[in-house]
Amino acid sequence: MGGQIGVEIIGTAMHLPEGKLTNQKLEELMTTSDEWIVKRTGINTRRQADIANGETASVLATEAMRKALVKANIDAKELDLLLVATMTCDSPTPSVACVVARELGCNDIGAMDINAACSGFLYTISIADAMIKSGSYKTIGVIGADTITRHIDYSDYGRGAAILFGDGAGAVVLQANEDPSKGMIAHKMHADGNGAKHLFIPSCQLDFPPEAEFDERKLDKVQMNGQAVFKFAVTKFQEVIAETLEDAGISADEVDHFVCHQANSRILDSARDRFGIPEEKLLVNIHKYGNTVAGSIPIVLDELIEDGKIKPGQKVMFLAFGAGLTWGSSLWQF
Ligand code: COA
């Protein structure tokens, strides 16, 4: 099939923890208000994994992929590669991917994690598409899974980030297809480490950028300059849409769905306004889940597919930005 290989998404699923972290609950934990959070972010509630009882990223990832395999109607043994986008691995090693492969009973296939923070899933499906088109792999499982709430300070010190994030996982099964027009038709991966200081999780004093003051309470917790990240996201989101459309030689109205990382509804609104994207082409589900990091895009995708909104022949643009700083796009022909 070399050079003539298409890629099809044959199954999608999500898995969310049962635990809920509503705005009302946050009002009890810190100085904030439901009204402030909804107005600034569009978020009403989020899910929170029960880490103390072992509900880690690998557990969410395994359940998401288990459901995706059922929907794809294939056995885990048919996967020949497993890629997991995550920045909240259960422990430094083994990778989440190795744990998922073990739990699902995969063959001794390649399995690895990819960390590009909230852009992780977007990077990973772009890589998976290329791996299938190379002819080396036929069926690849791709997961986005994070339990970011384990790195949040739920006190007034951490309230800027605490209101945004939730836990969750989404999974897709990609398979080689005889129709070479299917799969990724354009993509962009960007990173700028100079912006790392705006969104980071320090493990020790050395991890603090020169301009940030060391504070022991900040160790292992998300540190975010909300305004800087907001400006970066609005600018890069618009830039990357424009450059991807140009590369593909199409206009924004030829894209049927924009499947976007859910970080703040105001960031999504800015992109919709700039390109005249109608509401029905850009699903916003942030009110239910908050920002689930690498889980965010596959969760939106699964919701759209479950509702029958994405149809064969349509064009779908995945878009993400996140810590690193990272950002990018992946335009697909379904
Ligand atoms: N509840 C109530 N008040 C809060 C608050 C909270 N949770 N967090 C901050 N505030 C206060 C601030 O202290 C500040 O008060 P002051 O004016 O008295 O100093 C005021 O609200 C405005 O703060 P600011 O940081 O300017 O708010 P904002 O409009 O930028 O909104 C974010 C804050 C975090 C919602 C917004 O910056 C954002 O979403 N940024 C992008 C973050 C992101 O997407 N990160 C993930 C990337 S993948």
Side-chain angles (χ1 to χ4, degrees):
M1 281 169 89
Q4 294 300 312
I5 305 172
V7 177
E8 190 179 14
I9 295 179
I10 60 166
T12 63
M14 66 171 101
H15 186 78
L16 297 152
E18 292 284 314
K20 283 203 175 146
L21 195 53
T22 60
N23 290 353
Q24 289 69 28
K25 175 80 183 159
L26 292 177
E27 283 176 348
E28 290 168 19
L29 299 171
M30 62 195 73
T31 316
T32 191
S33 70
D34 174 51
E35 193 196 349
W36 193 94
I37 300 170
V38 172
K39 191 165 161 235
R40 303 281 174 131
T41 70
I43 304 169
N44 298 116
T45 186
R46 323 132 188 83
R47 299 300 181 92
Q48 186 173 28
D50 187 357
I51 293 286
N53 285 307
E55 197 177 24
T56 56
S58 67
V59 170
L60 302 184
T62 301
E63 292 317 310
M65 183 49 78
R66 202 190 300 281
K67 293 180 203 170
L69 289 167
V70 170
K71 289 208 232 159
N73 199 22
I74 65 164
D75 188 85
K77 299 222 178 300
E78 289 179 59
L79 293 178
D80 47 22
L81 186 64
L82 190 62
L83 303 174
V84 179
T86 187
M87 56 172 268
T88 51
C89 200
D90 307 9
S91 58
T93 195
S95 65
V96 171
C98 282
V99 175
V100 174
R102 179 190 71 206
E103 293 303 306
L104 293 177
C106 294
N107 292 325
D108 65 346
I109 55 170
M112 66 173 154
D113 291 355
I114 294 172
N115 179 351
C118 297
S119 307
F121 180 83
L122 177 110
Y123 271 45
T124 309
I125 44 159
S126 303
I127 294 167
D129 175 276
M131 300 287 258
I132 291 176
K133 285 183 181 152
S134 76
S136 303
Y137 297 91
K138 187 167 173 265
T139 310
I140 303 183
V142 179
I143 304 170
D146 271 298
T147 49
I148 188 69
T149 67
R150 65 190 297 173
H151 294 293
I152 298 290
D153 175 356
Y154 289 102
S155 76
D156 281 2
Y157 288 109
R159 67 178 181 170
I163 56 164
L164 294 177
F165 292 100
D167 300 329
V172 304
V173 181
L174 304 181
Q175 196 161 62
N177 189 278
E178 284 173 1
D179 179 352
S181 70
K182 284 183 189 281
M184 191 170 74
I185 50 180
H187 84 284
K188 293 280 169 193
M189 289 189 204
H190 292 288
D192 177 7
N194 293 309
K197 61 189 176 199
H198 297 314
L199 187 50
F200 65 102
I201 303 176
S203 298
C204 64
Q205 189 163 358
L206 289 172
D207 293 339
F208 284 74
E211 52 273 74
E213 207 174 309
F214 173 69
D215 181 340
E216 209 169 346
R217 286 171 303 200
K218 295 181 176 172
L219 289 176
D220 206 34
K221 303 295 178 206
V222 172
Q223 302 304 312
M224 186 180 75
N225 177 343
Q227 285 187 8
V229 175
F230 192 91
K231 271 186 216 141
F232 147 76
V234 167
T235 311
K236 296 302 179 189
F237 217 46
Q238 298 188 11
E239 273 177 26
V240 81
I241 292 175
E243 61 181 338
T244 312
L245 291 173
E246 195 181 332
D247 273 14
I250 60 171
S251 58
D253 56 10
E254 289 175 77
V255 177
D256 299 287
H257 297 278
F258 292 83
V259 177
C260 299
H261 172 52
Q262 309 280 309
N264 184 319
S265 58
R266 290 189 290 140
I267 296 172
L268 299 178
D269 286 346
S270 74
R272 288 205 307 105
D273 291 348
R274 161 78 174 74
F275 292 96
I277 302 168
E279 266 179 42
E280 63 275 14
K281 283 192 175 188
L282 195 162
L283 180 71
V284 179
N285 67 7
I286 195 170
H287 54 289
K288 294 186 279 188
Y289 310 127
N291 177 345
T292 53
V293 188
S296 157
I297 287 185
I299 289 172
V300 173
L301 177 65
D302 184 54
E303 212 167 294
L304 286 167
I305 288 186
E306 278 295 293
D307 290 347
K309 297 219 169 103
I310 295 185
K311 300 187 176 63
Q314 288 191 328
K315 285 188 177 56
V316 175
M317 192 187 288
F318 299 100
L319 291 156
F321 56 87
L325 298 169
T326 55
W327 67 104
S329 66
S330 197
L331 177 65
W332 284 58
Q333 178 74 51
F334 271 63

